[in-house]
Amino acid sequence: HYEGERPLFASHGLYLEEVTIHAGESALKECSDIEAVNCRFEGKYPFWHNDGFVVKNCLFTEGARAALWYSRNLKMKDTLVKMFREMDGIKLENVQLPNALETLWYCRNVELNNVKIDKGDYLFIHGEDIRIKNFVLNGNYSFQYCKNVEIRHAEIHSKDAFWNTENVTVYDSVLDGEYLG
């Protein structure tokens, strides 16, 4: 268990298993080569300004707001999380984002496989190089100002999707909404 302000600040090559990060801010800020398995994150801003980290079978509670920002090279699997912003190199597999309002903004080089997103209004604003497979989205105004988007086997329920977006390809999917493009 860790709590308080920046308890693992600037850690490198750290393996966390069945660890709880309680209330506090920026538990893993400015870190690299971090692996978190079966962990629970309750404090604000747990992963900021990180490079090279793996998150597996973890839970980010409501208190872990603005959970993953300004970071690079994330691989996440079997996790429940809320938000990503301004990141480069995201791979999500079997991940759920149940309250994803304003998430994945300004993210580049994103791969999603078997991901479900609810309350995902304004998802992926200014995103670039996005590859999605086996995906469900419930949220309005998605994929605005994006470049290079490929979507396969998806179900997208989004009013006004793909506004001002360039180079979009969608295969074997359902697009449900009022406006498209």
Side-chain angles (χ1 to χ4, degrees):
H1 298 269
Y2 293 93
E3 62 186 306
E5 307 304 306
R6 302 181 182 181
L8 299 168
F9 179 79
S11 294
H12 305 283
L14 188 63
Y15 180 80
L16 303 170
E17 186 171 4
E18 297 186 18
V19 170
T20 299
I21 305 292
H22 295 291
E25 291 186 14
S26 303
L28 291 151
K29 186 174 183 177
E30 299 287 345
C31 297
S32 66
D33 301 317
I34 304 295
E35 186 168 355
V37 179
N38 298 320
C39 295
R40 180 181 174 94
F41 297 94
E42 300 171 354
K44 295 184 277 188
Y45 328 129
F47 287 97
W48 275 37
H49 299 281
N50 289 304
D51 187 10
F53 55 115
V54 176
V55 178
K56 294 181 186 173
N57 199 34
C58 291
L59 171 65
F60 290 80
T61 68
E62 282 297 314
R65 65 186 183 88
L68 302 110
W69 286 23
Y70 316 117
S71 295
R72 297 182 309 206
N73 304 313
L74 164 68
K75 292 181 183 176
M76 180 179 281
K77 189 172 180 179
D78 303 318
T79 294
L80 183 64
V81 68
K82 183 175 180 189
M83 183 168 304
F84 303 89
R85 199 170 290 172
E86 294 192 42
M87 294 183 60
D88 187 359
I90 301 173
K91 292 184 181 181
L92 305 181
E93 185 175 350
N94 301 328
V95 172
Q96 295 181 44
L97 290 94
N99 188 10
L101 181 65
E102 300 179 359
T103 195
L104 290 162
W105 284 15
Y106 295 92
C107 291
R108 295 167 306 283
N109 301 307
V110 179
E111 292 182 29
L112 306 182
N113 185 15
N114 198 28
V115 171
K116 183 175 182 189
I117 296 177
D118 284 312
K119 299 178 188 162
D121 288 3
Y122 299 100
L123 186 76
F124 277 116
I125 282 185
H126 293 281
E128 192 170 334
D129 298 319
I130 300 163
R131 289 160 306 285
I132 296 173
K133 184 176 172 187
N134 302 322
F135 176 70
V136 176
L137 167 64
N138 292 301
N140 296 316
Y141 317 109
S142 60
F143 300 97
Q144 291 187 17
Y145 304 103
C146 289
K147 292 181 182 175
N148 307 323
V149 178
E150 181 180 298
I151 300 172
R152 294 177 183 273
H153 309 290
E155 186 176 319
I156 298 173
H157 305 277
S158 181
K159 178 181 179 179
D160 204 6
F162 303 105
W163 184 55
N164 278 336
T165 298
E166 299 175 22
N167 194 22
V168 176
T169 307
V170 180
Y171 300 93
D172 302 320
S173 297
V174 174
L175 301 174
D176 176 31
E178 281 185 60
Y179 307 102
L180 180 62

